[in-house]
Amino acid sequence: MKVTNTAAAIAAYVLCCRDLVSAGPVQKRGVLDPLFEITTLGGMTFKISQVPNKKFYGQRKGRGSMAIARAYSKYGAAISDDLLSTIEEILKELGLLGNDGAGNNTTADPQGEVAAVPQMFDSEYLCPVEIGTPPQTLNLDFDTGSSDLWVFSSETPSIQVMGQDAWDIEQSSTAKLQTGESWAISYGDGSSSSGNVYLDKVSVGGVTVQNQAVESASNVSVSFTQRPDTDGLLGLAFGSINTVKPTQQKTFFENAVSDLASPLFTANLRKAEPGNYNFGFIDTTEFTGQITFVPVNSSSGFWQFTSEGYSIAGSSAVSAPHEAIADTGTTLLLLPQEIADAYYSQVQGAVNDVSGAGGYVFPCSASLPDYTAMIGSHQAVIPGDFINFAPVDGDTFEDATTCFGGIQASPANFPLAIYGDIFLKAQFVVFHGGNNELGFANKPL
């Protein structure tokens, strides 16, 4: 693919390369939910278990720089010229960014990328979703930081499809085009995805919505074209940020919630092993102690909550109230700058290498302290070894001397911290749509 400038080439690439985990067989179950004193026998429940995706294409080196650039781009924050230059050098070294001789930067075919071990940098999770009649199964990214269900389809130009399974609209007898409706998502790198809107039958784990809005991509940004196993996104934030115009559409969860035994879903992501999502029930074997529920401010369309402060290495709590988002679609834990600074002041040799790696780095031999987020009465502990995210100057932790931190600063002028997978892999999280709450509990790690 040809692009016309360095920034576009790099920004297009940084969104595309993520470790993938896909979902395995689902299981329906009914349980007694002691937290809400109801017996979940009258509605549907299902579990989606994650398994490693063996077809992942990605790179080891530069994972930290890529991760922070992806997060900033997702929320429309500017990526600094220094970070773009750093990523350019990484891609050139990996043979993934070159020059066509006419001054235009090019990105390599993703089939030539170096395969990464999913468990090392587990940062994206895919789940099977059935669409249409007869059902067509696509692997979608469940994302609590967005609200569109969009897919590669028979309307997607063939040049933009690079290994993805596409929804064949004409093969679905229940697909209904919504004339006059369209969707478009823009990203911080200047790219976008857009297309038409259909209503069709969508099933996840045996729960079916008959007239779910399915957004068919007639244009896909390079950032998604170069992710060969991601067939689209299933947004699990609130419908108020759905991009369909002129009529916003409800998310799958919002449409399915009345059929669920309890109006909630849970995320139990894991470090270096498969995790799962549960819909309609809380599995009491997946967490320890009690679940602490806190109010959600959904006015921005996100699962937004307040963290009252933090502690480092088990020290006394520091009051530092800040608003945050629980986002399964972001890899890192992005905190206010002063909190990130406070954390790395406790890590020997750590430096904020903004002009190089794009954020905080430290000697791989350093011992990282635990970080504890204070959320209501809950103390959410993220072990230090979870925070050692990726090597900077080597392909593996064993051959690297410098490592990139899983805690980084949230974008300047962005009002919310982003509690991504570094945080979520250490916690059991309940997304309660009935009470508009988030629940947090510790779990076996």
PDB file of all heavy atoms in Angstrom, residues 294-329:
ATOM      1  N   VAL A 294     -19.521   0.665  42.125  1.00  0.00           N
ATOM      2  CA  VAL A 294     -19.426   2.126  42.127  1.00  0.00           C
ATOM      3  C   VAL A 294     -20.297   2.661  40.998  1.00  0.00           C
ATOM      4  O   VAL A 294     -20.519   1.983  39.990  1.00  0.00           O
ATOM      5  CB  VAL A 294     -17.971   2.606  41.956  1.00  0.00           C
ATOM      6  CG1 VAL A 294     -17.107   2.138  43.118  1.00  0.00           C
ATOM      7  CG2 VAL A 294     -17.386   2.129  40.628  1.00  0.00           C
ATOM      8  N   PRO A 295     -20.808   3.892  41.142  1.00  0.00           N
ATOM      9  CA  PRO A 295     -21.674   4.463  40.098  1.00  0.00           C
ATOM     10  C   PRO A 295     -20.920   4.691  38.800  1.00  0.00           C
ATOM     11  O   PRO A 295     -19.723   4.996  38.785  1.00  0.00           O
ATOM     12  CB  PRO A 295     -22.134   5.789  40.705  1.00  0.00           C
ATOM     13  CG  PRO A 295     -21.857   5.687  42.168  1.00  0.00           C
ATOM     14  CD  PRO A 295     -20.686   4.784  42.311  1.00  0.00           C
ATOM     15  N   VAL A 296     -21.637   4.547  37.698  1.00  0.00           N
ATOM     16  CA  VAL A 296     -21.110   4.853  36.370  1.00  0.00           C
ATOM     17  C   VAL A 296     -21.720   6.163  35.886  1.00  0.00           C
ATOM     18  O   VAL A 296     -22.935   6.373  35.972  1.00  0.00           O
ATOM     19  CB  VAL A 296     -21.435   3.726  35.373  1.00  0.00           C
ATOM     20  CG1 VAL A 296     -21.249   4.192  33.930  1.00  0.00           C
ATOM     21  CG2 VAL A 296     -20.561   2.514  35.655  1.00  0.00           C
ATOM     22  N   ASN A 297     -20.863   7.052  35.398  1.00  0.00           N
ATOM     23  CA  ASN A 297     -21.315   8.271  34.741  1.00  0.00           C
ATOM     24  C   ASN A 297     -21.303   7.991  33.244  1.00  0.00           C
ATOM     25  O   ASN A 297     -20.249   7.981  32.611  1.00  0.00           O
ATOM     26  CB  ASN A 297     -20.391   9.435  35.082  1.00  0.00           C
ATOM     27  CG  ASN A 297     -20.761  10.718  34.363  1.00  0.00           C
ATOM     28  OD1 ASN A 297     -21.689  10.752  33.554  1.00  0.00           O
ATOM     29  ND2 ASN A 297     -20.034  11.792  34.632  1.00  0.00           N
ATOM     30  N   SER A 298     -22.480   7.732  32.680  1.00  0.00           N
ATOM     31  CA  SER A 298     -22.562   7.345  31.271  1.00  0.00           C
ATOM     32  C   SER A 298     -22.778   8.539  30.343  1.00  0.00           C
ATOM     33  O   SER A 298     -23.027   8.354  29.146  1.00  0.00           O
ATOM     34  CB  SER A 298     -23.691   6.335  31.081  1.00  0.00           C
ATOM     35  OG  SER A 298     -24.933   6.897  31.467  1.00  0.00           O
ATOM     36  N   SER A 299     -22.679   9.758  30.860  1.00  0.00           N
ATOM     37  CA  SER A 299     -22.979  10.946  30.052  1.00  0.00           C
ATOM     38  C   SER A 299     -22.044  11.085  28.857  1.00  0.00           C
ATOM     39  O   SER A 299     -22.417  11.669  27.831  1.00  0.00           O
ATOM     40  CB  SER A 299     -22.919  12.212  30.912  1.00  0.00           C
ATOM     41  OG  SER A 299     -21.620  12.396  31.461  1.00  0.00           O
ATOM     42  N   SER A 300     -20.831  10.551  28.964  1.00  0.00           N
ATOM     43  CA  SER A 300     -19.893  10.624  27.853  1.00  0.00           C
ATOM     44  C   SER A 300     -19.979   9.402  26.946  1.00  0.00           C
ATOM     45  O   SER A 300     -19.269   9.309  25.947  1.00  0.00           O
ATOM     46  CB  SER A 300     -18.459  10.757  28.384  1.00  0.00           C
ATOM     47  OG  SER A 300     -18.098   9.615  29.140  1.00  0.00           O
ATOM     48  N   GLY A 301     -20.842   8.449  27.318  1.00  0.00           N
ATOM     49  CA  GLY A 301     -21.003   7.243  26.516  1.00  0.00           C
ATOM     50  C   GLY A 301     -20.102   6.102  26.925  1.00  0.00           C
ATOM     51  O   GLY A 301     -20.200   5.005  26.366  1.00  0.00           O
ATOM     52  N   PHE A 302     -19.234   6.336  27.913  1.00  0.00           N
ATOM     53  CA  PHE A 302     -18.291   5.317  28.356  1.00  0.00           C
ATOM     54  C   PHE A 302     -18.691   4.746  29.720  1.00  0.00           C
ATOM     55  O   PHE A 302     -19.525   5.309  30.424  1.00  0.00           O
ATOM     56  CB  PHE A 302     -16.878   5.913  28.459  1.00  0.00           C
ATOM     57  CG  PHE A 302     -16.344   6.451  27.162  1.00  0.00           C
ATOM     58  CD1 PHE A 302     -16.151   7.812  26.991  1.00  0.00           C
ATOM     59  CD2 PHE A 302     -16.030   5.601  26.113  1.00  0.00           C
ATOM     60  CE1 PHE A 302     -15.653   8.322  25.805  1.00  0.00           C
ATOM     61  CE2 PHE A 302     -15.537   6.102  24.918  1.00  0.00           C
ATOM     62  CZ  PHE A 302     -15.348   7.463  24.765  1.00  0.00           C
ATOM     63  N   TRP A 303     -18.061   3.639  30.092  1.00  0.00           N
ATOM     64  CA  TRP A 303     -18.191   3.090  31.433  1.00  0.00           C
ATOM     65  C   TRP A 303     -17.239   3.878  32.338  1.00  0.00           C
ATOM     66  O   TRP A 303     -16.155   3.441  32.681  1.00  0.00           O
ATOM     67  CB  TRP A 303     -17.867   1.596  31.442  1.00  0.00           C
ATOM     68  CG  TRP A 303     -18.876   0.764  30.715  1.00  0.00           C
ATOM     69  CD1 TRP A 303     -18.855   0.398  29.397  1.00  0.00           C
ATOM     70  CD2 TRP A 303     -20.073   0.205  31.280  1.00  0.00           C
ATOM     71  NE1 TRP A 303     -19.952  -0.359  29.110  1.00  0.00           N
ATOM     72  CE2 TRP A 303     -20.730  -0.500  30.234  1.00  0.00           C
ATOM     73  CE3 TRP A 303     -20.651   0.225  32.557  1.00  0.00           C
ATOM     74  CZ2 TRP A 303     -21.930  -1.179  30.439  1.00  0.00           C
ATOM     75  CZ3 TRP A 303     -21.851  -0.454  32.746  1.00  0.00           C
ATOM     76  CH2 TRP A 303     -22.479  -1.143  31.701  1.00  0.00           C
ATOM     77  N   GLN A 304     -17.684   5.068  32.707  1.00  0.00           N
ATOM     78  CA  GLN A 304     -16.847   6.031  33.422  1.00  0.00           C
ATOM     79  C   GLN A 304     -17.096   5.946  34.923  1.00  0.00           C
ATOM     80  O   GLN A 304     -18.240   5.901  35.368  1.00  0.00           O
ATOM     81  CB  GLN A 304     -17.141   7.444  32.924  1.00  0.00           C
ATOM     82  CG  GLN A 304     -16.334   8.546  33.579  1.00  0.00           C
ATOM     83  CD  GLN A 304     -16.694   9.911  33.039  1.00  0.00           C
ATOM     84  OE1 GLN A 304     -17.116  10.054  31.900  1.00  0.00           O
ATOM     85  NE2 GLN A 304     -16.544  10.939  33.869  1.00  0.00           N
ATOM     86  N   PHE A 305     -16.014   5.964  35.686  1.00  0.00           N
ATOM     87  CA  PHE A 305     -16.103   5.873  37.142  1.00  0.00           C
ATOM     88  C   PHE A 305     -15.050   6.761  37.774  1.00  0.00           C
ATOM     89  O   PHE A 305     -14.203   7.336  37.083  1.00  0.00           O
ATOM     90  CB  PHE A 305     -15.916   4.420  37.604  1.00  0.00           C
ATOM     91  CG  PHE A 305     -14.560   3.846  37.278  1.00  0.00           C
ATOM     92  CD1 PHE A 305     -13.547   3.829  38.231  1.00  0.00           C
ATOM     93  CD2 PHE A 305     -14.281   3.342  36.008  1.00  0.00           C
ATOM     94  CE1 PHE A 305     -12.292   3.316  37.933  1.00  0.00           C
ATOM     95  CE2 PHE A 305     -13.026   2.828  35.701  1.00  0.00           C
ATOM     96  CZ  PHE A 305     -12.034   2.820  36.665  1.00  0.00           C
ATOM     97  N   THR A 306     -15.095   6.877  39.088  1.00  0.00           N
ATOM     98  CA  THR A 306     -14.132   7.703  39.811  1.00  0.00           C
ATOM     99  C   THR A 306     -13.169   6.821  40.593  1.00  0.00           C
ATOM    100  O   THR A 306     -13.589   5.902  41.301  1.00  0.00           O
ATOM    101  CB  THR A 306     -14.839   8.645  40.795  1.00  0.00           C
ATOM    102  OG1 THR A 306     -15.737   9.489  40.067  1.00  0.00           O
ATOM    103  CG2 THR A 306     -13.835   9.515  41.541  1.00  0.00           C
ATOM    104  N   SER A 307     -11.892   7.082  40.433  1.00  0.00           N
ATOM    105  CA  SER A 307     -10.878   6.498  41.308  1.00  0.00           C
ATOM    106  C   SER A 307     -10.428   7.585  42.274  1.00  0.00           C
ATOM    107  O   SER A 307     -10.091   8.693  41.866  1.00  0.00           O
ATOM    108  CB  SER A 307      -9.673   6.000  40.507  1.00  0.00           C
ATOM    109  OG  SER A 307      -8.628   5.572  41.373  1.00  0.00           O
ATOM    110  N   GLU A 308     -10.470   7.262  43.580  1.00  0.00           N
ATOM    111  CA  GLU A 308     -10.179   8.265  44.595  1.00  0.00           C
ATOM    112  C   GLU A 308      -8.688   8.506  44.814  1.00  0.00           C
ATOM    113  O   GLU A 308      -8.298   9.537  45.358  1.00  0.00           O
ATOM    114  CB  GLU A 308     -10.825   7.871  45.927  1.00  0.00           C
ATOM    115  CG  GLU A 308     -12.330   8.096  45.979  1.00  0.00           C
ATOM    116  CD  GLU A 308     -13.110   7.060  45.205  1.00  0.00           C
ATOM    117  OE1 GLU A 308     -12.574   5.958  44.969  1.00  0.00           O
ATOM    118  OE2 GLU A 308     -14.265   7.349  44.830  1.00  0.00           O
ATOM    119  N   GLY A 309      -7.867   7.557  44.388  1.00  0.00           N
ATOM    120  CA  GLY A 309      -6.440   7.732  44.614  1.00  0.00           C
ATOM    121  C   GLY A 309      -5.690   6.447  44.370  1.00  0.00           C
ATOM    122  O   GLY A 309      -6.157   5.558  43.652  1.00  0.00           O
ATOM    123  N   TYR A 310      -4.531   6.321  44.995  1.00  0.00           N
ATOM    124  CA  TYR A 310      -3.665   5.174  44.706  1.00  0.00           C
ATOM    125  C   TYR A 310      -2.698   4.960  45.854  1.00  0.00           C
ATOM    126  O   TYR A 310      -2.522   5.813  46.738  1.00  0.00           O
ATOM    127  CB  TYR A 310      -2.871   5.433  43.430  1.00  0.00           C
ATOM    128  CG  TYR A 310      -1.877   6.576  43.551  1.00  0.00           C
ATOM    129  CD1 TYR A 310      -0.551   6.344  43.917  1.00  0.00           C
ATOM    130  CD2 TYR A 310      -2.269   7.891  43.317  1.00  0.00           C
ATOM    131  CE1 TYR A 310       0.348   7.405  44.039  1.00  0.00           C
ATOM    132  CE2 TYR A 310      -1.385   8.941  43.439  1.00  0.00           C
ATOM    133  CZ  TYR A 310      -0.075   8.689  43.801  1.00  0.00           C
ATOM    134  OH  TYR A 310       0.801   9.732  43.938  1.00  0.00           O
ATOM    135  N   SER A 311      -2.057   3.808  45.815  1.00  0.00           N
ATOM    136  CA  SER A 311      -0.885   3.575  46.650  1.00  0.00           C
ATOM    137  C   SER A 311       0.123   2.780  45.833  1.00  0.00           C
ATOM    138  O   SER A 311      -0.244   2.107  44.858  1.00  0.00           O
ATOM    139  CB  SER A 311      -1.240   2.830  47.938  1.00  0.00           C
ATOM    140  OG  SER A 311      -1.573   1.485  47.678  1.00  0.00           O
ATOM    141  N   ILE A 312       1.377   2.893  46.212  1.00  0.00           N
ATOM    142  CA  ILE A 312       2.459   2.228  45.501  1.00  0.00           C
ATOM    143  C   ILE A 312       3.215   1.343  46.484  1.00  0.00           C
ATOM    144  O   ILE A 312       3.591   1.798  47.571  1.00  0.00           O
ATOM    145  CB  ILE A 312       3.411   3.249  44.854  1.00  0.00           C
ATOM    146  CG1 ILE A 312       2.637   4.120  43.850  1.00  0.00           C
ATOM    147  CG2 ILE A 312       4.589   2.542  44.161  1.00  0.00           C
ATOM    148  CD1 ILE A 312       3.431   5.292  43.310  1.00  0.00           C
ATOM    149  N   ALA A 313       3.382   0.092  46.117  1.00  0.00           N
ATOM    150  CA  ALA A 313       4.128  -0.865  46.937  1.00  0.00           C
ATOM    151  C   ALA A 313       3.527  -0.997  48.328  1.00  0.00           C
ATOM    152  O   ALA A 313       4.247  -1.190  49.305  1.00  0.00           O
ATOM    153  CB  ALA A 313       5.604  -0.473  47.014  1.00  0.00           C
ATOM    154  N   GLY A 314       2.204  -0.895  48.423  1.00  0.00           N
ATOM    155  CA  GLY A 314       1.537  -1.091  49.703  1.00  0.00           C
ATOM    156  C   GLY A 314       1.700   0.042  50.684  1.00  0.00           C
ATOM    157  O   GLY A 314       1.371  -0.112  51.868  1.00  0.00           O
ATOM    158  N   SER A 315       2.177   1.199  50.229  1.00  0.00           N
ATOM    159  CA  SER A 315       2.364   2.340  51.122  1.00  0.00           C
ATOM    160  C   SER A 315       1.012   2.990  51.410  1.00  0.00           C
ATOM    161  O   SER A 315      -0.037   2.559  50.928  1.00  0.00           O
ATOM    162  CB  SER A 315       3.308   3.354  50.486  1.00  0.00           C
ATOM    163  OG  SER A 315       2.772   3.834  49.265  1.00  0.00           O
ATOM    164  N   SER A 316       1.018   4.043  52.194  1.00  0.00           N
ATOM    165  CA  SER A 316      -0.218   4.738  52.533  1.00  0.00           C
ATOM    166  C   SER A 316      -0.892   5.286  51.280  1.00  0.00           C
ATOM    167  O   SER A 316      -0.222   5.706  50.321  1.00  0.00           O
ATOM    168  CB  SER A 316       0.079   5.891  53.503  1.00  0.00           C
ATOM    169  OG  SER A 316       0.627   5.400  54.712  1.00  0.00           O
ATOM    170  N   ALA A 317      -2.211   5.298  51.302  1.00  0.00           N
ATOM    171  CA  ALA A 317      -2.972   5.773  50.149  1.00  0.00           C
ATOM    172  C   ALA A 317      -2.755   7.264  49.936  1.00  0.00           C
ATOM    173  O   ALA A 317      -2.659   8.046  50.887  1.00  0.00           O
ATOM    174  CB  ALA A 317      -4.453   5.473  50.337  1.00  0.00           C
ATOM    175  N   VAL A 318      -2.671   7.642  48.672  1.00  0.00           N
ATOM    176  CA  VAL A 318      -2.537   9.044  48.278  1.00  0.00           C
ATOM    177  C   VAL A 318      -3.854   9.482  47.645  1.00  0.00           C
ATOM    178  O   VAL A 318      -4.364   8.840  46.728  1.00  0.00           O
ATOM    179  CB  VAL A 318      -1.383   9.226  47.271  1.00  0.00           C
ATOM    180  CG1 VAL A 318      -1.305  10.677  46.816  1.00  0.00           C
ATOM    181  CG2 VAL A 318      -0.064   8.766  47.878  1.00  0.00           C
ATOM    182  N   SER A 319      -4.415  10.571  48.127  1.00  0.00           N
ATOM    183  CA  SER A 319      -5.647  11.100  47.559  1.00  0.00           C
ATOM    184  C   SER A 319      -5.348  11.764  46.218  1.00  0.00           C
ATOM    185  O   SER A 319      -4.545  12.702  46.151  1.00  0.00           O
ATOM    186  CB  SER A 319      -6.288  12.109  48.508  1.00  0.00           C
ATOM    187  OG  SER A 319      -7.442  12.689  47.925  1.00  0.00           O
ATOM    188  N   ALA A 320      -5.968  11.258  45.163  1.00  0.00           N
ATOM    189  CA  ALA A 320      -5.766  11.823  43.820  1.00  0.00           C
ATOM    190  C   ALA A 320      -6.991  11.489  42.982  1.00  0.00           C
ATOM    191  O   ALA A 320      -6.927  10.692  42.039  1.00  0.00           O
ATOM    192  CB  ALA A 320      -4.498  11.266  43.186  1.00  0.00           C
ATOM    193  N   PRO A 321      -8.142  12.068  43.284  1.00  0.00           N
ATOM    194  CA  PRO A 321      -9.374  11.735  42.563  1.00  0.00           C
ATOM    195  C   PRO A 321      -9.254  12.034  41.069  1.00  0.00           C
ATOM    196  O   PRO A 321      -8.760  13.093  40.679  1.00  0.00           O
ATOM    197  CB  PRO A 321     -10.419  12.638  43.231  1.00  0.00           C
ATOM    198  CG  PRO A 321      -9.831  13.006  44.557  1.00  0.00           C
ATOM    199  CD  PRO A 321      -8.358  13.087  44.333  1.00  0.00           C
ATOM    200  N   HIS A 322      -9.701  11.086  40.281  1.00  0.00           N
ATOM    201  CA  HIS A 322      -9.708  11.301  38.836  1.00  0.00           C
ATOM    202  C   HIS A 322     -10.782  10.428  38.201  1.00  0.00           C
ATOM    203  O   HIS A 322     -11.147   9.377  38.712  1.00  0.00           O
ATOM    204  CB  HIS A 322      -8.344  10.996  38.209  1.00  0.00           C
ATOM    205  CG  HIS A 322      -7.839   9.604  38.462  1.00  0.00           C
ATOM    206  ND1 HIS A 322      -7.184   9.242  39.619  1.00  0.00           N
ATOM    207  CD2 HIS A 322      -7.900   8.468  37.702  1.00  0.00           C
ATOM    208  CE1 HIS A 322      -6.850   7.968  39.572  1.00  0.00           C
ATOM    209  NE2 HIS A 322      -7.281   7.470  38.419  1.00  0.00           N
ATOM    210  N   GLU A 323     -11.310  10.898  37.069  1.00  0.00           N
ATOM    211  CA  GLU A 323     -12.312  10.167  36.318  1.00  0.00           C
ATOM    212  C   GLU A 323     -11.620   9.219  35.346  1.00  0.00           C
ATOM    213  O   GLU A 323     -10.595   9.545  34.756  1.00  0.00           O
ATOM    214  CB  GLU A 323     -13.221  11.126  35.554  1.00  0.00           C
ATOM    215  CG  GLU A 323     -14.080  11.990  36.452  1.00  0.00           C
ATOM    216  CD  GLU A 323     -15.034  11.135  37.290  1.00  0.00           C
ATOM    217  OE1 GLU A 323     -15.901  10.462  36.696  1.00  0.00           O
ATOM    218  OE2 GLU A 323     -14.893  11.143  38.534  1.00  0.00           O
ATOM    219  N   ALA A 324     -12.208   8.033  35.181  1.00  0.00           N
ATOM    220  CA  ALA A 324     -11.562   6.997  34.378  1.00  0.00           C
ATOM    221  C   ALA A 324     -12.591   6.221  33.570  1.00  0.00           C
ATOM    222  O   ALA A 324     -13.791   6.252  33.849  1.00  0.00           O
ATOM    223  CB  ALA A 324     -10.780   6.049  35.280  1.00  0.00           C
ATOM    224  N   ILE A 325     -12.102   5.501  32.559  1.00  0.00           N
ATOM    225  CA  ILE A 325     -12.907   4.641  31.702  1.00  0.00           C
ATOM    226  C   ILE A 325     -12.410   3.207  31.849  1.00  0.00           C
ATOM    227  O   ILE A 325     -11.203   2.968  31.821  1.00  0.00           O
ATOM    228  CB  ILE A 325     -12.768   5.037  30.225  1.00  0.00           C
ATOM    229  CG1 ILE A 325     -13.228   6.465  29.967  1.00  0.00           C
ATOM    230  CG2 ILE A 325     -13.531   4.079  29.321  1.00  0.00           C
ATOM    231  CD1 ILE A 325     -12.834   6.973  28.591  1.00  0.00           C
ATOM    232  N   ALA A 326     -13.335   2.252  31.982  1.00  0.00           N
ATOM    233  CA  ALA A 326     -12.977   0.835  31.898  1.00  0.00           C
ATOM    234  C   ALA A 326     -13.079   0.421  30.432  1.00  0.00           C
ATOM    235  O   ALA A 326     -14.171   0.376  29.870  1.00  0.00           O
ATOM    236  CB  ALA A 326     -13.905  -0.008  32.762  1.00  0.00           C
ATOM    237  N   ASP A 327     -11.941   0.116  29.797  1.00  0.00           N
ATOM    238  CA  ASP A 327     -11.893  -0.051  28.343  1.00  0.00           C
ATOM    239  C   ASP A 327     -11.145  -1.327  27.961  1.00  0.00           C
ATOM    240  O   ASP A 327      -9.917  -1.367  27.990  1.00  0.00           O
ATOM    241  CB  ASP A 327     -11.234   1.173  27.707  1.00  0.00           C
ATOM    242  CG  ASP A 327     -11.170   1.080  26.185  1.00  0.00           C
ATOM    243  OD1 ASP A 327     -11.779   0.155  25.616  1.00  0.00           O
ATOM    244  OD2 ASP A 327     -10.514   1.932  25.564  1.00  0.00           O
ATOM    245  N   THR A 328     -11.889  -2.358  27.572  1.00  0.00           N
ATOM    246  CA  THR A 328     -11.261  -3.606  27.142  1.00  0.00           C
ATOM    247  C   THR A 328     -10.543  -3.464  25.810  1.00  0.00           C
ATOM    248  O   THR A 328      -9.774  -4.348  25.430  1.00  0.00           O
ATOM    249  CB  THR A 328     -12.314  -4.721  27.007  1.00  0.00           C
ATOM    250  OG1 THR A 328     -13.295  -4.329  26.030  1.00  0.00           O
ATOM    251  CG2 THR A 328     -12.999  -4.997  28.334  1.00  0.00           C
ATOM    252  N   GLY A 329     -10.785  -2.365  25.079  1.00  0.00           N
ATOM    253  CA  GLY A 329     -10.163  -2.166  23.783  1.00  0.00           C
ATOM    254  C   GLY A 329      -8.876  -1.379  23.821  1.00  0.00           C
ATOM    255  O   GLY A 329      -8.328  -1.048  22.765  1.00  0.00           O
TER     256      GLY A 329
END
